[in-house]
Amino acid sequence: MSTLKPFLNEKVKVLTADGRLLLGVLEGFDRTTNLVLSSAKERIFSIDEPTKDISMGLCIVRGNEVVSISDYDEQVEDSTDYSKIFAEKLKDTRNSLID
């Protein structure tokens, strides 16, 4: 998990196995990729409503739920008007054993 060290105390985006997109400052992590995010927000996508961010405060994400972690490009985020973006909810990445 040493590849996460450069992200410590930086804003990141985290995609979870259930299709949630979380934004926040990476405060800590462990060997199993459990994450601690401060100033966390969940970005919610919908076809019927504009994309919105819901404030969550301090957030712990279990490592087995983490699909990807990426940097947060402040310039891109500031120049994007998410209130004008309508999109389908991100899909779950888990393989269901039940049809």
Side-chain angles (χ1 to χ4, degrees):
M1 294 311 338
S2 62
T3 57
L4 287 179
K5 282 186 182 178
F7 293 108
L8 270 176
N9 301 310
E10 298 291 333
K11 289 184 179 180
V12 295
K13 291 182 179 183
V14 178
L15 180 61
T16 65
D18 61 355
R20 295 169 58 202
L21 180 62
L22 305 176
L23 315 161
V25 177
L26 181 62
E27 297 291 341
F29 62 90
D30 65 11
R31 284 186 189 156
T32 58
T33 321
N34 292 314
L35 307 175
V36 178
L37 301 175
S38 64
S39 304
K41 298 184 280 187
E42 180 178 359
R43 181 157 293 153
I44 299 177
F45 298 94
S46 172
I47 293 177
D48 304 320
E49 298 179 31
T51 300
K52 59 185 171 187
D53 291 348
I54 304 297
S55 182
M56 300 171 62
L58 186 67
C59 179
I60 297 174
V61 184
R62 292 188 55 174
N64 64 335
E65 291 295 313
V66 175
V67 172
S68 71
I69 304 168
S70 66
D71 61 338
Y72 180 102
D73 189 327
E74 198 92 40
Q75 188 175 24
V76 170
E77 291 294 322
D78 290 345
S79 67
T80 304
D81 185 358
Y82 284 99
S83 69
K84 295 182 179 177
I85 295 177
F86 294 79
E88 286 188 41
K89 181 184 181 300
L90 297 173
K91 298 205 184 299
D92 192 315
T93 62
R94 294 180 221 163
N95 292 324
S96 175
L97 297 174
I98 303 171
D99 290 332

